[in-house]
């Protein structure tokens, strides 16, 4: 496999305009500007064209929590980073090769991440004394020599955009809003990106506002033409399609939340159950509610509740009624839903609890990423209330993780936590669209009639009589004649489901519910140890997969022996996890928390796992992890 390291220039030719065209193996671009400058849209459009071209890619959107942060300030900077390549890549990249800074705040907030020699495109129109003073520039960085280490391209983006749109019946303010399309056109020329998809997008988005549509198209084309004609951009770059990076199939670019939404719909179809979402909007999970609400044609019903508790209550009711029930939220919402999750454990009904983790505690960092809800998912309920936990590792993997979580929920009659995070939710990558016959069969059998015979020969329905293999209780649709039964939060009598305060029965039920979760059949943990001679194992979970794998590749390329394993199932753990851990002298667990998986591993397996962690709201960088892992190997 290729290694995610430095950019390599493999060839140089002359383009039709006489300018130098250099072929490179990968590029990292970061668009940065005010939260109203359209950086997320610009990055998304560049990403879509890159995906259609056939490159492998990974993205990192980063934006303020405020709906409209103060203009021109550091807290108001919004950015979008895209890493694309002609080979298999795993992360959005550690440092951008190109920074597009729409104002002084964007430059100051991002320049520390830009390596020496990189290209910096700045919108000079925004570098006024007032704008620079607002972010602490005493003098212009464009003139004081502080950017001499970079290839700086000063471009009056605003002026050029307004000039390009002077024939349109727009105010100057309206024309200025299209400067992001000018920047997109310029970068599209610079990296030979297709234009047809963006043109179609703009025509569809602004179809009801023809003047705005034409203005955005004109700005986009003006940016392309500027790159082609100006002497300041003497070089453009080509990144060939990643022809060998993907198995054969049909691909599309997909974000984690979109993949998860599609996974839920696919699960409902494979289970032959209607999909019901009971949810309350919360960042970064709201996109799932928005997406699922579009798919009533697939039997999806969405309910936007008045609060988190109502959302999960409705979902649990839908599960009782025979639906594949889902509730979506983030960490603060999980806290509010915890009592109803405990009720679902007691009722033993299938329910998917989707937690798109973000920085905490409390409101915390709504638009930043974290992995700090693992212990909350594991233990955040009163009493002994075990819940299975599944965690996807990449944006595309969210689709498969949703199917996996649904299978566990309906097979074992239990709520299931699906732990994604903001990095996965908003990031994107190519996804191979599966064939229908590749999807698992999730169909389950509802109770049809009596399942127990009393001593006097009477046939009755016992709602808590269990399947001997899975320990799951029968799922009976309300209103089915003869299957009437009581539900509620008070302890049930084994078998009958009647209210019981008997101490021995309570202990039996607690142990049985735990045994049901412990007995879930999850795949063995796969270990990547090419030569079988590594002394150090890196164990990860969730979205750390990309940075960990990139770091491991770097170390192996440098000659270090290191093994890697990644957990999808966090409760129960794979049956072979203990045996795997004992094979290695050192175990390192990188996490975006203060060591929650490390705590669980140490407690369960008595292994002295080394915890490496950060909680700064951003994903790990591959070079950062490689350095830390190298120190562990050499220690």
């Amino acid at each position: 496999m290729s290694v995610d390291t430095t950019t390599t220039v493999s060839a140089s030719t002359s383009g039709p305009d006489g300018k130098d065209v250099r072929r490179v193996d990968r590029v990292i671009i970061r668009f940065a500007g005010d939260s109203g400058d359209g950086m997320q849209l610009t990055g998304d459009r560049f990403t879509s064209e890159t995906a259609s071209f056939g490159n492998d890619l990974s993205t990192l959107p980063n934006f303020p929590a405020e709906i409209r942060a103060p203009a021109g300030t550091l807290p108001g900077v919004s950015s979008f980073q895209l890493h694309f390549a002609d080979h298999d890549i795993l992360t959005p990249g550690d440092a951008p090769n190109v920074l597009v800074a729409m104002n002084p705040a964007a430059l100051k907030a991002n320049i520390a991440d830009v390596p020496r020699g990189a290209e910096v495109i700045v919108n000079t129109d925004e570098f006024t004394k007032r704008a620079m003073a607002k972010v602490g520039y005493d003098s212009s960085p464009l003139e004081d020599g502080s950017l001499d280490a970079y290839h700086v391209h000063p471009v009056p983006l605003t002026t050029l955009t307004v000039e390009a749109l002077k024939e349109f019946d727009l105010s100057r303010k309206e024309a200025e809003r299209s400067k992001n399309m000018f920047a997109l056109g310029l970068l599209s020329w610079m990296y030979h990106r297709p234009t047809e998809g963006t043109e179609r997008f703009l025509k569809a988005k602004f179809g009801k506002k023809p003047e705005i549509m034409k203005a955005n198209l004109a700005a986009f084309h003006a940016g392309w033409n500027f790159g082609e004609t100006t002497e300041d951009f003497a070089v453009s770059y080509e990144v060939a399609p990643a022809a060998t990076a993907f198995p054969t199939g049909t691909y599309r670019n997909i974000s984690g939340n979109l993949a998860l939404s599609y996974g839920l719909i696919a699960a409902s179809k494979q289970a032959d159950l209607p999909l019901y979402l009971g949810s309350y909007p919360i960042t970064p999970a709201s996109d799932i509610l928005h997406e699922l609400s579009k798919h009533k044609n697939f039997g999806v019903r969405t309910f936007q509740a008045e609060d988190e508790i109502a959302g999960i209550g409705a979902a649990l009711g839908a599960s009782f009624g025979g639906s594949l029930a889902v509730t979506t939220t983030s960490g603060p919402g999980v806290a509010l839903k915890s009592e109803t999750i405990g009720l679902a454990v007691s009722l033993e009904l299938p329910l998917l609890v989707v937690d798109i983790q973000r920085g905490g505690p409390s409101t915390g960092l709504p638009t930043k990423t974290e992995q700090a809800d693992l212990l909350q998912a594991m233990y955040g309920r009163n009493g002994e209330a075990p819940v299975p936990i599944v965690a996807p590792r990449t944006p595309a993997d969210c689709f498969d993780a949703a199917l996996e979580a649904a299978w566990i929920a309906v097979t074992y009659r239990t709520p299931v936590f699906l732990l994604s995070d903001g990095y996965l939710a908003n990031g994107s990558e190519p996804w191979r669209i599966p064939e229908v016959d590749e999807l698992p069969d999730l169909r389950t059998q509802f109770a049809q009639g009596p399942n127990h015979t009393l001593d006097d020969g009477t046939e009755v329905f016992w709602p808590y009589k269990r399947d001997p293999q899975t320990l799951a209780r029968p799922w009976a649709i309300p209103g089915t004649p003869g299957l009437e039964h009581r539900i509620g939060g008070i302890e049930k009598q084994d078998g009958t489901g009647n209210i019981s305060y008997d101490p021995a029965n309570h202990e039996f039920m607690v142990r049985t519910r735990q045994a049901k979760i412990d007995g879930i059949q999850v795949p063995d943990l796969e270990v990547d140890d090419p030569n079988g001679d590594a002394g150090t194992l890196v164990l990860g979970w969730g979205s750390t997969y990309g940075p960990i794998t990139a770091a491991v590749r770097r170390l192996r390329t440098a000659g270090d022996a290191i093994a890697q394993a990644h957990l999808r199932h966090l409760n129960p753990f794979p049956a072979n996890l203990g045996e795997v851990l004992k094979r290695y002298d050192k175990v390192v667990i990188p996490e975006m928390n203060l060591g929650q998986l490390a705590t669980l591993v140490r407690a369960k397996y008595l292994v002295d796992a080394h915890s490496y962690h950060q909680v700064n709201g951003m994903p790990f960088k591959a070079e950062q992890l490689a350095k830390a892992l190298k120190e562990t190997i050499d220690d």
Side-chain angles (χ1 to χ4, degrees), residues 30-33 99-103 106-107 120-124 127 157:
R30 184 181 298 177
F31 298 94
L99 171 65
V100 181
M102 302 296 280
N103 60 17
L107 179 67
V120 179
I121 301 172
V122 292
N123 179 14
T124 56
F127 279 72
L157 281 170

Side-chain angles (χ1 to χ4, degrees), residues 169-229:
D169 185 22
L170 299 173
S171 67
R172 180 179 176 86
K173 187 174 182 180
E174 289 173 326
E176 287 179 0
R177 288 176 185 158
S178 297
K179 63 181 180 287
N180 65 323
M181 287 296 106
F182 189 100
L184 177 59
L186 172 58
L187 269 294
S188 296
W189 169 84
M190 194 171 174
Y191 289 97
H192 296 255
R193 297 297 91 185
T195 61
E196 294 81 4
T198 295
E199 291 166 350
R200 287 194 300 270
F201 170 82
L202 291 173
K203 289 174 182 177
K205 183 175 178 64
F206 299 110
K208 296 182 179 178
K209 300 177 180 179
E211 196 74 1
I212 300 296
M213 176 193 70
K214 293 175 183 177
N216 276 281
L217 284 169
F220 177 64
H221 292 143
W224 178 285
N225 294 334
F226 177 77
E228 196 170 40
T229 58

Side-chain angles (χ1 to χ4, degrees), residues 541-562:
W541 71 278
S543 67
T544 57
Y545 173 78
I548 289 174
T549 307
V552 167
R553 289 183 183 180
R554 294 186 185 199
L555 291 173
R556 288 177 181 167
T557 300
D560 291 295
I562 187 167

Side-chain angles (χ1 to χ4, degrees), residues 41-73:
L41 175 62
T42 305
D44 182 69
R45 291 314 315 157
F46 196 95
T47 300
S48 295
E49 297 293 4
T50 297
S52 69
F53 189 71
N55 296 120
D56 195 9
L57 62 89
S58 180
T59 69
L60 177 62
N62 187 17
F63 37 83
E66 293 81 3
I67 293 174
R68 186 66 173 92
T73 63

Side-chain angles (χ1 to χ4, degrees), residues 90-172:
L90 299 156
T91 76
D94 289 356
N97 306 114
V98 182
L99 171 65
V100 181
M102 302 296 280
N103 60 17
L107 179 67
K108 187 160 192 176
N110 291 280
I111 194 64
D113 294 336
V114 182
R116 295 171 65 89
E119 302 200 56
V120 179
I121 301 172
V122 292
N123 179 14
T124 56
D125 288 325
E126 296 297 321
F127 279 72
T128 63
K129 288 184 178 180
R130 181 180 178 186
M132 289 187 288
K134 189 180 288 188
V135 295
Y137 280 127
D138 297 326
S139 60
S140 172
L142 307 181
E143 300 171 355
D144 63 8
S146 59
L147 299 179
D148 286 351
Y150 311 98
H151 295 298
V152 179
H153 301 277
V155 181
L157 281 170
T158 307
T159 299
L160 290 171
T161 302
V162 172
E163 178 65 20
L165 304 184
K166 62 183 180 182
E167 65 182 79
F168 296 95
D169 185 22
L170 299 173
S171 67
R172 180 179 176 86

